[in-house]
Amino acid sequence: MRRLFYALALLVACKGTAAARCDHCGMKIDPKSPFTAELAIGDKVEHFDTPRCALSNWLAEKKQGTVRVQDYYDRKMRPASEVRFVIGSDVVGPMGPELVPVDEARVTKFEKDHGGTRALAANDIDEKALQP
């Protein structure tokens, strides 16, 4: 009887806790991940597992709306226009090589700590920059 009670309690606890999925690639989004991102267009907010996915959708929407990403160092959500995206570093996101959002004042520190080949403003990102 005790096992049945625990099994039922587990079922009730798990019901309705389906993980959110990335609106670009469909991967489950870990809410604790430092790579989550959003794209807000009007009242609609799309959620993504990585900045790369969010920026891909933003480009597909012809750069409409606001992309929000987590800064690498302080993990605060910021508009993409307020950070630089470092490409080619040793930091790997949930889906592999990532465009790492870093506050502009810390780009030099990040490149010293993790390498990187370029740091781009959001408006300078194109399809070629999004290729892993």
Side-chain angles (χ1 to χ4, degrees):
M1 186 70 170
R2 181 178 273 169
R3 287 184 187 163
L4 178 61
F5 173 76
Y6 286 124
L8 287 173
L10 183 61
L11 282 173
V12 169
C14 292
K15 187 175 182 180
T17 59
R21 295 206 173 260
C22 177
D23 285 315
H24 180 74
C25 71
M27 183 171 154
K28 287 183 181 179
I29 298 173
D30 176 358
K32 296 176 184 171
S33 170
F35 290 97
T36 60
E38 305 172 336
L39 173 58
I41 302 175
D43 292 340
K44 181 182 175 190
V45 177
E46 297 176 340
H47 301 277
F48 304 93
D49 60 332
T50 66
R52 184 181 304 279
C53 286
L55 292 165
S56 292
N57 272 31
W58 184 59
L59 287 179
E61 294 288 338
K62 310 227 184 300
K63 297 188 178 183
Q64 299 296 311
T66 302
V67 175
R68 291 187 292 259
V69 295
Q70 292 184 67
D71 175 76
Y72 178 81
Y73 287 103
D74 65 18
R75 303 295 189 228
K76 290 183 182 174
M77 287 295 266
R78 297 192 173 150
S81 60
E82 294 180 7
V83 299
R84 295 295 176 260
F85 292 88
V86 180
I87 298 171
S89 74
D90 63 3
V91 174
V92 179
M95 294 185 61
E98 190 54 61
L99 285 79
V100 183
V102 179
D103 182 274
E104 188 174 5
R106 294 183 176 149
V107 168
T108 302
K109 174 185 176 12
F110 180 86
E111 289 176 335
K112 181 180 176 190
D113 294 345
H114 301 285
T117 56
R118 293 187 291 170
L120 299 174
N123 280 328
D124 295 331
I125 293 174
D126 57 14
E127 289 295 330
K128 184 178 178 185
L130 291 174
Q131 299 304 311

